[in-house]
Amino acid sequence: MKGVAWILSVGNELLIGRVVNTNAAWLASKLTFLGYSVRRIVVVPDEENDIVEAFREAINRADVVILTGGLGPTPDDITNLAFCKALGVEAVVNDEALKMVRGKYESRGYALTPERIKMAMMPPGATPLPNPVGTAPGILYESGGKLVVLLPGVPKEMEAIFENHVEPLLKSRGPPVYFSEREVVVRGVPEADIAPVIREVMRLDKRVYVKSHPRGFEVNAPLLHIHIYASAGSKEEAEALVSKASDRLIELIKLKYGDRASISTG
Amino acid sequence: MKGVAWILSVGNELLIGRVVNTNAAWLASKLTFLGYSVRRIVVVPDEENDIVEAFREAINRADVVILTGGLGPTPDDITNLAFCKALGVEAVVNDEALKMVRGKYESRGYALTPERIKMAMMPPGATPLPNPVGTAPGILYESGGKLVVLLPGVPKEMEAIFENHVEPLLKSRGPPVYFSEREVVVRGVPEADIAPVIREVMRLDKRVYVKSHPRGFEVNAPLLHIHIYASAGSKEEAEALVSKASDRLIELIKLKYGDRASISTG
């Protein structure tokens, strides 16, 4: 693993259940495939104290922190300012970021209001990340080997900035790590009976992780999706680990349950 | 507001981005409409230390804690045991819960293995909540005015237990609180220009909250969904607050932008 990652999501709309946090799932998948171990997703409201607290804890505990939300021009967009407070530094207008913001508005005849200038404010030494879709730049900040990235909450903007600027950087940090996964679907055996089999498969290699997800009704019509994951230093090695674990899982289930179990892979 | 709520989600599948956390959004919406202020959603892996830490912090900070995931029969389902550890008590087999679990399995000829008995373990004094869909009971625990509820991660099971047993209890606690919301859609005005208008509408009443969500491209084709929320002691009062705020918002936008703005409500 390349390091521990935390994902922070800012927005009241997530905490009243109006919006499902697809941003966090998208980022979690990206970070996992890049070789990072995502240990927390934390959702906080659009309030300074909560954002500052979340930043401080995340920076303290993780190697990489990715935050989404609260970078726009409205009064409740305060993430960049809260980030400065968490670091204990004064927010400054970044010249490059201001150029980006000004370019978006002035060419269409809109004035550069204080709300718009706010989108160019960040900690001294931070790098603005161009937003090809919307107006608020992302913010990248490195300190003491830790990386903090602030992205807008609008999914199209977040994804574009991540793929253009954050993913290449994360890929280049540390040794290469590859992640592989496979799914085995088992009908006819309750989850509780599979538990000792999963325990045995996980003993094969500590880089392998196996988890069952019940889909049917556990007792009447048991249907399990069993996910197998592994990470290793090369693509081939990660895939070989997953193959080995998957073969062993199927072998053990057949041995133990014979015709009762119907198995398929995907 | 009836109190502060935290939502905890346990599961590696959420942290590798394989599953989107729809459970948290569903619960957040339920809790909000029941009058609670959801202040955090925290996702942790299937590991004891992480779950214990999340429980301790949540119980310390919130009045109501709702957790989903990790109550099943597999080896990585450890939430009920981690909860006991967080409370500093020994997990005991709850007789009523054991009856529920036994009933599910024995009637279909399955044995009561240690993995299945584990699903009946909880802190002394906790109440098991019948699961009409799956096998793992929910767990309800009250102490010092705080309420902690553990629910399975399978959405159908979580929703059924919540609606049958948790929602009526939360409704009965504290004074009645009603929540109302409305959406105003504005085309043709950039989000940054709406910011001062939103600030003015929010000054109407501290029980009103207004937030804009950009949907189109901020500068070329601005499209904003503006959400207005209010909570009050009666349904009528909450609706009246939202109506008043919505009317004022539309009035101010018309006044300021005239024909440039195209407004609709939903």
Side-chain angles (χ1 to χ4, degrees):
Chain A
M1 281 290 161
K2 286 199 179 192
V4 168
W6 279 37
I7 296 169
L8 308 181
S9 308
V10 175
N12 293 351
E13 67 278 15
L14 297 162
L15 293 168
I16 63 166
R18 186 166 191 106
V19 172
V20 176
N21 198 352
T22 54
N23 279 350
W26 189 91
L27 286 168
S29 172
K30 282 283 186 187
L31 289 164
T32 301
F33 277 93
L34 285 163
Y36 289 85
S37 169
V38 179
R39 302 287 299 186
R40 282 288 187 292
I41 296 168
V42 181
V43 185
V44 297
D46 299 291
E47 292 187 28
E48 192 184 71
N49 287 346
D50 296 272
I51 303 172
V52 168
E53 183 192 325
F55 264 128
R56 287 195 176 144
E57 198 179 358
I59 293 169
N60 195 27
R61 307 270 301 268
D63 303 299
V64 170
V65 179
I66 313 275
L67 176 144
T68 61
L71 297 184
T74 65
D76 52 8
D77 290 314
I78 55 170
T79 298
N80 53 342
L81 305 180
F83 180 46
C84 296
K85 195 160 182 190
L87 295 173
V89 302
E90 283 285 323
V92 295
V93 174
N94 180 290
D95 288 340
E96 205 187 328
L98 190 65
K99 228 178 277 172
M100 293 175 193
V101 174
R102 179 184 284 134
K104 299 271 178 183
Y105 288 101
E106 291 193 342
S107 62
R108 279 110 179 162
Y110 291 107
L112 207 56
T113 60
E115 283 86 5
R116 288 167 186 159
I117 293 171
K118 183 190 69 179
M119 293 192 283
M121 295 182 78
M122 53 190 72
T127 307
L129 305 174
N131 183 339
V133 181
T135 49
I139 298 172
L140 187 144
Y141 187 80
E142 285 193 80
S143 174
K146 307 228 170 185
L147 184 72
V148 184
V149 180
L150 281 55
L151 300 171
V154 178
K156 279 180 301 184
E157 302 182 22
M158 184 278 288
E159 292 169 14
I161 300 175
F162 187 90
E163 286 179 340
N164 291 346
H165 302 284
V166 186
E167 195 162 19
L169 179 66
L170 291 177
K171 225 175 233 167
S172 72
R173 286 163 74 99
V177 177
Y178 293 86
F179 184 83
S180 180
E181 61 177 334
R182 189 174 302 178
E183 185 168 84
V184 175
V185 177
V186 181
R187 282 170 202 279
V189 185
E191 189 179 24
D193 286 335
I194 294 284
V197 173
I198 288 179
R199 247 194 319 259
E200 186 167 340
V201 172
M202 283 182 70
R203 272 197 294 264
L204 277 177
D205 195 300
K206 68 175 176 36
R207 293 168 296 174
V208 171
Y209 185 77
V210 185
K211 183 161 185 178
S212 62
H213 299 276
R215 289 288 184 274
F217 176 58
E218 162 77 350
V219 177
N220 285 332
L223 167 62
L224 289 178
H225 287 219
I226 304 179
H227 298 132
I228 303 168
Y229 321 107
S231 55
S234 76
K235 197 164 180 284
E236 293 68 31
E237 203 182 349
E239 284 170 1
L241 283 169
V242 165
S243 277
K244 194 173 140 196
S246 163
D247 291 348
R248 182 71 180 144
L249 178 75
I250 292 170
E251 187 190 339
L252 286 171
I253 295 173
K254 282 186 177 157
L255 201 69
K256 210 166 158 186
Y257 299 102
D259 289 345
R260 260 179 68 197
S262 148
I263 305 171
S264 59
T265 56
Chain B
M1 282 289 161
K2 286 201 179 192
V4 167
W6 279 36
I7 295 169
L8 308 181
S9 308
V10 175
N12 292 351
E13 68 276 16
L14 298 162
L15 293 168
I16 64 167
R18 182 162 195 109
V19 172
V20 176
N21 198 353
T22 54
N23 279 350
W26 189 90
L27 285 168
S29 172
K30 282 282 185 185
L31 289 163
T32 301
F33 278 91
L34 284 162
Y36 289 85
S37 168
V38 180
R39 301 287 297 185
R40 282 288 186 294
I41 297 168
V42 181
V43 185
V44 298
D46 299 292
E47 293 186 26
E48 192 183 71
N49 287 347
D50 296 272
I51 304 172
V52 168
E53 182 191 327
F55 264 128
R56 288 198 176 140
E57 198 179 357
I59 293 169
N60 195 28
R61 307 270 300 269
D63 303 298
V64 170
V65 179
I66 313 275
L67 177 143
T68 62
L71 297 184
T74 66
D76 52 7
D77 289 315
I78 54 169
T79 298
N80 52 342
L81 306 180
F83 180 46
C84 295
K85 195 161 181 187
L87 295 173
V89 302
E90 283 284 323
V92 296
V93 175
N94 180 290
D95 289 341
E96 205 188 329
L98 189 64
K99 227 178 278 172
M100 292 175 193
V101 175
R102 178 185 284 134
K104 298 271 178 183
Y105 287 101
E106 292 194 342
S107 63
R108 279 106 177 165
Y110 290 107
L112 206 58
T113 59
E115 283 85 5
R116 288 168 185 156
I117 293 171
K118 183 190 69 180
M119 293 193 284
M121 295 182 78
M122 53 189 72
T127 307
L129 305 174
N131 182 338
V133 181
T135 50
I139 298 172
L140 186 145
Y141 187 80
E142 286 193 78
S143 174
K146 307 229 169 183
L147 184 72
V148 184
V149 180
L150 281 56
L151 300 171
V154 178
K156 279 181 301 181
E157 303 182 22
M158 183 278 288
E159 292 169 15
I161 300 175
F162 187 90
E163 287 180 339
N164 291 345
H165 302 285
V166 186
E167 195 162 20
L169 179 66
L170 291 176
K171 225 174 232 166
S172 72
R173 286 163 74 99
V177 177
Y178 292 86
F179 184 83
S180 181
E181 61 177 334
R182 189 175 301 181
E183 185 168 86
V184 175
V185 177
V186 181
R187 281 170 201 280
V189 184
E191 190 179 23
D193 286 336
I194 293 285
V197 173
I198 287 179
R199 249 195 317 260
E200 185 166 343
V201 172
M202 282 182 71
R203 273 197 293 264
L204 277 177
D205 194 300
K206 71 175 170 41
R207 293 167 297 174
V208 170
Y209 185 77
V210 185
K211 183 161 184 176
S212 62
H213 299 276
R215 289 285 184 275
F217 176 58
E218 163 78 351
V219 177
N220 285 330
L223 167 62
L224 289 178
H225 288 220
I226 305 178
H227 299 131
I228 303 168
Y229 322 106
S231 55
S234 76
K235 197 166 181 286
E236 293 68 31
E237 203 181 346
E239 284 170 0
L241 282 169
V242 165
S243 277
K244 194 173 139 196
S246 163
D247 291 349
R248 182 72 179 140
L249 177 76
I250 292 169
E251 185 190 342
L252 284 172
I253 295 172
K254 282 187 177 156
L255 201 70
K256 210 166 159 185
Y257 299 103
D259 290 344
R260 259 178 69 198
S262 148
I263 305 170
S264 59
T265 55

